[in-house]
Amino acid sequence: MAAPRIVIIGAGIVGTNLADELVARGHTDVTVVEQGPLGMPGGSTSHAPGLVFQTNPSKAMTLFAQYTVEKLLSLTKDGRSCFDQVGGLEVATTPERVAELRRKAGYAASWGVDARLVDTEECLRLYPLLDREQVLGGLHIPTDGLALAARAVQLLIERTTEAGVTYLGSTPVTGIEQADGRVTGVQTPDGVIPADVVVSCAGFWGVEIGAMVGLDVPLLPLAHQYVKTTPVPALAGRTDVPNGATLPILRHQDQDLYYREHGDRYGIGFYGHRPMPVVAADLGRTPDEVDEHHMPSRLDFTADDFAPAWEASQSLLPALREAQVDDGFNGIFSFTPDGGSVVGQSPTVDGFWVAEAVWVTHSAGVARAVAEVLTTGRSQVSLAELDLSRFEDVQTTKAYVSETSQQNFVEIYDILHPHQPKESPRGLRVSPFHARHRELGARFLEGAGWERPYWFEANASLVDQLPEEWQPVPRDDWASRFYSPIAAAEAWKTRTAVAMYDMTPLKRLEVSGPGAEALLQRLTTGDVSKKPGAVTYTLLLDEAGGIRSDITVARLDDETYQVGANGQLDLVHLTREARHQRQADPSQWVQVRDITGGTCCIGLWGPLARDLVGSICDDDLSNDGLKYFRLKKATIGGVPVTVMRLSYVGELGWEIYTSADLGQRLWDVLWEAGQAHGVVAAGRSAFNALRLEKGYRSWGADMTTEHDPFEAGVGFAVKAAKEAFVGKEALEGRSEQAATRRLRCLTVDDGRSVVLGKEPVRVDGEAVGYVTSAAFGYTIGKPIAYAYLPASVQEGDAVEIEYFGDAVKATVTAEPVYDPSMSRLRG
C-alpha cells in the first residue's frame, strides 16, 4: 500500500513537531502548509513566552508536557538545546494556595513528576528577589523551565526538511477538497495539494480551517497580556546568560501572574484582566514579512488592563520598583469550553484531523500522540479528554464556546474544586423530572450541559433518623464542598427501602437496520446476537485491546438495539463504523441515532422496588417474569415503558424508560405509589458511593484506552469464544493473572479520611499508583478508593494515600465490598 499523503496546516510548534514525529515513524509523504513566512510564521508560537510548568490535574496533559521537555532538551544545535531547565517555582501568598500546592504536589507524584513542597526560606533561597513577608511557601519542580519555541520550530523545519518533508511558506489554505466522505486535497492559491490525511494545526485560525469541512471547532481566540521591563538593576550582568535566564520560572497564581527573565529584564504574563475575544478571520492573512513586533497574533497593548498586575508585581518582587514596563502586547492564545486541547478526527469527514488549542507546554506530546494514532491507530496516552468529539452539540455552539472559554480564561489560575460546576450557562438540558426535582429541593451540579441532582434537601430530616452505623463522618473543608450528609440518608433508603434516581442524562443510542447485529458483534467483546429481550454489558476496545468504552446493549427486536453509552465519543465511533460498514456492503446499512433527548429514564432501586411497582403494574416483573439483565415492554400506572433489569447501585430494581413527553407522568405515578414504601428521590452523590461499593467501574476515570479489560477487572465482559471482534487478537495471552497491574479496591483504615481522586498511592513510601475513583461507603461505614497498583500488591496489603501531603493509611480489600454473592440483585 502506498504511503498516505499527509498535509499539515500550520508550521508552528505543533505542526513542525507533528511532521517530525511522523517522519520518525516512517512516513515519507508529508507536506506542511503555512500562511506566514517559515522564518517566523506569526502565530502564537512566534510570541509564546515559553514557560513550561508540567504538573496538571490531567494525567494526559502532564505526560504530554513531560515529553515536550524531553524532546526540546534533545533538540540541539551548536551545543544549545531548545529548553532551558531552570526549574519552576509556584509561590503561595494565601493559606488557600498553600493547600492547593500540597494538592498539586500530589498530582506530581501521581503522574511521575519530581516535585517538592518548600517553605518560605527555601523559596527565598531559590528565588532571592521575592518579598519574604508575602511568601508562605511554594512548590518547586526542578525539571520545569523555558521552551525556546521559535528556535525549536526552525530546528524542526531543518531536520524534517532533510528527512523529506515539504514546507510551503506564505501559502494560505483556501479550501479542503472532499469526495465520498473523505478529504482528497488542500486548496491553495497555487493549486491543490493531494492528500489522504489533513491535520489542522492552525492554532487560533483553526475555527476557519474547520469550517472548510463543515466542522465546528470549539475554541475561542483570546488576547493575553505580556510585557518586558526595562533593565532591572538586581539582574545586572545577566545579558550574556545562555537563553537569558538563571532563576526558576515563577508563578504567582494568587494574582494571576507569571514571570521569567529575559537577560537583565523581566517578562511578565497576566491573566487577571478582562477577557478579550478575537475573531481570527478579522485579522486577515499573515503578511509575507513578520518580525518580533509585527505579527497577526500580537495585538496592541492595553496599558490600563495591566495596571493592577504591575502593582502586584512590584509588591512580590520589590526589585521591579527600579524598572518600568518597556514593551507590552496582547498576544492571542486559544481557549476552549473546558480548558483542554482539541484533538481528533472530524466525525463526518474521514481523514480530516485537528490538533488545536495546544500550547507550547504540551506541543511535542500532543504531536507524538497524533502521529501514533495516524500510524498505529492509537496513542499510548488516552486522548479521550482532549478528543474533538467529547463535547455535546450544545457545547459547540458559538454562544456556549464564547462564554465558557472566556470563563476558563478568567479562572485559569483559580483554585477549582474537582466537583465545582459552571455557574453559567446553566439550565441548558433538563430532564422531564426537573420540575419535581426543584420541588424536592434538588441541589444540581452540571455535566455535559445537563442539570443533575446530587442530593435533595427534602431528605434532610432523614439524616437525624439514620442508624448509628449509617451516620456520615465529618469531612474536612475540601471534601465537604459540593457535598451534603443528606447523601448518606439517600444511600440508606436505597439499601433499606426504595429510591428513584434520574438516569436521563446518560447517553442513549438507537442502533437499527439489517446490519445492526453485525456492527455491534464486530465492535463489542460480548455476544449481542442473543434473542430480543436480552441486555448485555460489554466493552468497546481499540485494536490494541485498550478499553474505548463500556456499554450496555439491549436488543429490542431483530433489527433494533438500545445502547447505553458513556457519551458523545461513543456516538461518533458507532456512527463512523456504521458508515464504513455501509460503504463496504450497502445491504448491511445501519442507522445510529441519539435518542437521549427524546426519552427519559428512572432508576428505581431498593429491596421494596418490586412492592412499589407491583401496586401499579399488571405486567409480571417478578424474578421469573423478568430476570437480571433482561428487558420487557410494560405499562406502569398507565404509562407505556421499557423496563430493563439493571442496577448500578447493587439493589433489586430496574431502569425504566419512556418518552420524554410522558416522563413527568411516570415520575408522578411512581412517587405516589412509593409513599407507602418510604420512597425517596436520590442523587448522584449517593449513586456514586453505592456503585463503588459494588465495584462498578466508571469509564474515563477507572479505565481508558490505557487499560485492558484484565487490568481493569472487567475481563468477565470479554467472550473469548466469540469468533472475532475489534481488539481480540491483542488480548490473546492476556489474563488477570498475567497482568502486571490491577485496579484494586482500597478501604481507608481510620474510617474518616475521604479522598476525592487522583491522589498518589504509596507502598513503602514510593508512589506506585493513583486514585481513580473514591467515595464514602455508607453501607460499610468507611471511605473507598480504587487505584491501579502493581500486581505484586495483594489483598490485605497496607498502602498509603497521600492527601494534601498527609499519609492516609488504607488496606487493599477484596471487591466488591457489598453483596459479593449478588443475591440482592438477582433475587
Side-chain angles (χ1 to χ4, degrees):
M1 179 181 292
R5 300 165 297 181
I6 301 176
V7 176
I8 300 169
I9 300 172
I13 192 68
V14 181
T16 53
N17 260 304
L18 176 56
D20 188 61
E21 296 291 333
L22 287 168
V23 296
R25 287 163 177 77
H27 290 273
T28 57
D29 194 339
V30 179
T31 302
V32 181
V33 185
E34 169 55 54
Q35 69 167 341
L38 294 176
M40 183 174 283
S44 299
T45 301
S46 300
H47 65 67
L51 287 79
V52 175
F53 289 92
Q54 297 167 81
T55 307
N56 191 292
S58 163
K59 175 187 175 185
M61 299 306 279
T62 300
L63 296 180
F64 292 149
Q66 286 179 289
Y67 181 71
T68 298
V69 169
E70 176 187 328
K71 183 168 184 179
L72 294 184
L73 278 171
S74 70
L75 189 61
T76 62
K77 185 175 183 179
D78 300 329
R80 289 179 56 204
S81 78
C82 290
F83 192 78
D84 191 1
Q85 204 158 44
V86 293
L89 178 64
E90 301 186 37
V91 294
T93 59
T94 63
E96 293 79 12
R97 186 67 62 179
V98 171
E100 171 74 353
L101 293 185
R102 288 181 182 143
R103 191 163 66 99
K104 188 172 285 187
Y107 292 147
S110 291
W111 316 144
V113 177
D114 177 22
R116 62 192 180 101
L117 292 162
V118 292
D119 61 15
T120 300
E121 292 304 316
E122 182 67 2
C123 286
L124 269 293
R125 189 190 70 77
L126 292 165
Y127 213 104
L129 301 183
L130 290 167
D131 176 22
R132 178 187 301 273
E133 298 304 313
Q134 293 190 52
V135 176
L136 304 179
L139 179 69
H140 180 231
I141 300 180
T143 55
D144 286 345
L146 291 165
L148 308 181
R151 182 169 187 268
V153 165
Q154 297 310 307
L155 295 188
L156 288 167
I157 290 175
E158 289 180 20
R159 184 159 85 184
T160 54
T161 298
E162 292 175 0
V165 174
T166 300
Y167 283 86
L168 302 176
S170 301
T171 305
V173 170
T174 57
I176 308 293
E177 296 201 336
Q178 311 169 47
D180 300 323
R182 287 200 61 87
V183 295
T184 59
V186 174
Q187 298 172 357
T188 75
D190 300 320
V192 175
I193 307 168
D196 302 302
V197 174
V198 175
V199 187
S200 176
C201 302
F204 59 82
W205 281 286
V207 173
E208 283 66 32
I209 298 298
M212 295 178 182
V213 296
L215 176 65
D216 292 325
V217 178
L219 69 80
L220 180 73
L222 285 161
H224 159 60
Q225 291 195 307
Y226 190 78
V227 306
K228 291 181 182 177
T229 69
T230 57
V232 179
L235 299 180
R238 303 192 189 194
T239 53
D240 296 329
V241 173
N243 301 339
T246 59
L247 293 171
I249 56 175
L250 179 68
R251 275 209 283 214
H252 180 24
Q253 291 173 293
D254 287 321
Q255 293 292 334
D256 299 305
L257 286 159
Y258 63 83
Y259 305 89
R260 61 156 293 180
E261 299 163 89
H262 292 280
D264 61 355
R265 302 167 187 256
Y266 257 105
I268 307 173
F270 183 45
Y271 286 107
H273 56 80
R274 61 191 168 92
M276 293 183 269
V278 177
V279 177
D282 294 343
L283 301 173
R285 64 159 292 189
T286 303
D288 291 336
E289 293 187 11
V290 172
D291 61 37
E292 182 182 352
H293 293 90
H294 300 90
M295 61 181 73
S297 59
R298 180 179 166 128
L299 305 181
D300 291 340
F301 186 56
T302 51
D304 288 347
D305 290 308
F306 192 74
W310 184 237
E311 182 178 349
S313 295
Q314 291 177 311
S315 176
L316 181 74
L317 300 168
L320 288 176
R321 296 169 187 167
E322 299 182 68
Q324 301 294 325
V325 173
D326 182 46
D327 176 41
F329 64 94
N330 293 353
I332 303 176
F333 289 89
S334 298
F335 284 76
T336 64
D338 62 4
S341 298
V342 177
V343 179
Q345 186 174 199
S346 162
T348 57
V349 181
D350 289 346
F352 184 83
W353 292 74
V354 301
E356 309 289 20
V358 181
W359 293 9
V360 171
T361 299
H362 312 105
S363 55
V366 169
R368 180 184 65 176
V370 174
E372 289 172 340
V373 173
L374 294 178
T375 306
T376 67
R378 76 187 299 268
S379 162
Q380 61 183 287
V381 177
S382 172
L383 287 170
E385 61 185 293
L386 286 74
D387 199 293
L388 162 71
S389 297
R390 69 188 182 270
F391 299 106
E392 295 288 318
D393 289 344
V394 70
Q395 296 175 301
T396 64
T397 63
K398 288 184 178 180
Y400 186 93
V401 171
S402 178
E403 180 176 350
T404 55
S405 297
Q406 290 184 61
Q407 189 62 29
N408 280 322
F409 177 90
V410 170
E411 295 177 344
I412 192 166
Y413 280 172
D414 288 0
I415 299 171
L416 301 176
H417 193 275
H419 297 161
Q420 188 166 330
K422 290 182 175 65
E423 293 183 5
S424 179
R426 292 295 295 272
L428 291 176
R429 309 174 81 185
V430 297
S431 82
F433 322 129
H434 187 70
R436 298 297 184 254
H437 291 164
R438 291 176 63 88
E439 292 168 3
L440 293 169
R443 167 65 167 169
F444 295 100
L445 301 185
E446 180 268 345
W450 284 101
E451 295 297 320
R452 305 184 185 205
Y454 269 63
W455 65 86
F456 294 85
E457 292 295 333
N459 298 325
S461 62
L462 295 175
V463 176
D464 294 333
Q465 301 174 31
L466 285 169
E468 183 177 352
E469 66 271 18
W470 279 87
Q471 289 291 330
V473 301
R475 298 189 178 202
D476 66 86
D477 175 68
W478 189 251
S480 63
R481 297 181 192 181
F482 308 104
Y483 159 80
S484 169
I486 293 171
E490 294 173 1
W492 171 57
K493 294 294 282 187
T494 306
R495 291 277 188 248
T496 60
V498 60
M500 294 167 59
Y501 289 82
D502 182 4
M503 306 301 288
T504 302
L506 302 185
K507 179 76 78 175
R508 290 177 294 286
L509 310 176
E510 182 184 87
V511 180
S512 61
E517 179 183 310
L519 176 74
L520 292 171
Q521 278 291 85
R522 176 170 60 85
L523 296 180
T524 69
T525 60
D527 181 8
V528 300
S529 65
K530 303 167 188 173
K531 294 179 181 180
V535 184
T536 305
Y537 172 81
T538 187
L539 308 175
L540 299 172
L541 304 181
D542 62 20
E543 293 287 356
I547 303 172
R548 181 187 285 272
S549 188
D550 67 329
I551 60 175
T552 55
V553 179
R555 190 162 201 173
L556 304 181
D557 58 43
D558 287 344
E559 292 191 355
T560 309
Y561 293 84
Q562 181 172 309
V563 173
N566 280 301
Q568 196 75 357
L569 293 180
D570 293 338
L571 171 61
V572 169
H573 175 57
L574 292 177
T575 301
R576 179 181 289 118
E577 291 295 331
R579 184 170 68 243
H580 293 168
Q581 180 170 296
R582 183 181 65 250
Q583 291 169 342
D585 183 354
S587 70
Q588 291 293 295
W589 65 267
V590 184
Q591 181 186 57
V592 180
R593 193 164 64 93
D594 185 351
I595 61 171
T596 311
T599 57
C600 59
C601 178
I602 294 174
L604 184 73
W605 294 308
L608 303 183
R610 191 171 282 141
D611 295 336
L612 187 163
V613 171
S615 66
I616 52 173
C617 178
D618 293 331
D619 295 277
D620 185 3
L621 297 185
S622 67
N623 196 47
D624 291 335
L626 185 62
K627 294 187 179 298
Y628 192 52
F629 266 79
R630 299 286 298 176
L631 71 88
K632 71 187 309 180
K633 300 287 186 179
T635 301
I636 295 178
V639 179
V641 297
T642 299
V643 182
M644 295 187 193
R645 180 86 182 274
L646 309 177
S647 173
Y648 286 94
V649 299
E651 295 295 336
L652 170 69
W654 311 271
E655 292 180 358
I656 305 173
Y657 297 89
T658 192
S659 56
D661 58 323
L662 294 173
Q664 185 166 292
R665 175 64 179 169
L666 176 63
W667 180 277
D668 288 345
V669 297
L670 288 171
W671 184 256
E672 182 178 352
Q675 297 309 300
H677 305 283
V679 72
V680 298
R684 297 289 298 181
S685 287
F687 179 89
N688 188 56
L690 297 175
R691 71 100 181 163
L692 280 178
E693 291 178 346
K694 282 299 295 178
Y696 293 140
R697 278 49 170 158
S698 174
W699 187 84
D702 301 317
M703 52 191 181
T704 69
T705 53
E706 296 176 22
H707 312 106
D708 72 32
F710 306 110
E711 295 170 325
V714 289
F716 63 87
V718 178
K719 305 307 177 188
K722 189 176 172 182
E723 183 174 344
F725 56 83
V726 172
K728 181 179 181 181
E729 291 184 7
L731 294 184
E732 291 181 3
R734 301 192 203 181
S735 65
E736 285 192 9
Q737 293 71 32
T740 58
R741 61 177 176 177
R742 294 273 304 280
L743 185 62
R744 295 289 196 180
C745 177
L746 313 178
T747 53
V748 173
D749 293 352
D750 66 16
R752 304 177 64 85
S753 301
V754 179
V755 300
L756 299 182
K758 300 186 178 180
E759 297 89 353
V761 179
R762 298 183 181 275
V763 174
D764 296 329
E766 180 184 356
V768 297
Y770 60 92
V771 173
T772 59
S773 288
F776 189 86
Y778 300 108
T779 314
I780 66 169
K782 60 176 64 177
I784 301 170
Y786 272 77
Y788 280 95
L789 299 176
S792 58
V793 180
Q794 298 293 312
E795 291 175 8
D797 287 354
V799 299
E800 290 183 339
I801 304 171
E802 181 184 317
Y803 183 67
F804 285 89
D806 296 328
V808 175
K809 295 184 182 301
T811 301
V812 181
T813 305
E815 61 164 333
V817 297
Y818 178 74
D819 188 30
S821 68
M822 302 286 281
S823 60
R824 306 276 293 193
L825 284 169
R826 299 182 184 276

